[in-house]
Amino acid sequence: MSVKCKPIQSTPTLSVSDSKRIIAQANKVPSKESIERNEKLLALRKQISK
């Protein structure tokens, strides 16, 4: 009775540039235009789904 198993993959490591890019993306503030656009799209989606 043999069982096929996949090998355990190691946890990937992040380079300094990758971690800086991820942190910068997380701290990025959306522009007023994008907030307004998202609010309009949300209102439209709510109106359509009624």
Side-chain angles (χ1 to χ4, degrees):
M1 183 175 184
S2 66
V3 178
K4 289 188 176 182
C5 295
K6 291 184 179 180
I8 298 174
Q9 295 180 352
S10 64
T11 305
T13 57
L14 285 177
S15 67
V16 175
S17 61
D18 287 338
S19 60
K20 286 181 181 179
R21 184 179 49 83
I22 291 171
I23 291 171
Q25 186 177 10
N27 291 334
K28 186 177 179 183
V29 178
S31 65
K32 287 184 179 183
E33 293 84 15
S34 65
I35 292 173
E36 290 173 2
R37 181 183 69 239
N38 288 338
E39 288 174 348
K40 288 178 184 177
L41 290 172
L42 178 62
L44 180 63
R45 191 180 77 194
K46 285 181 179 179
Q47 185 179 9
I48 291 172
S49 65
K50 284 185 180 180

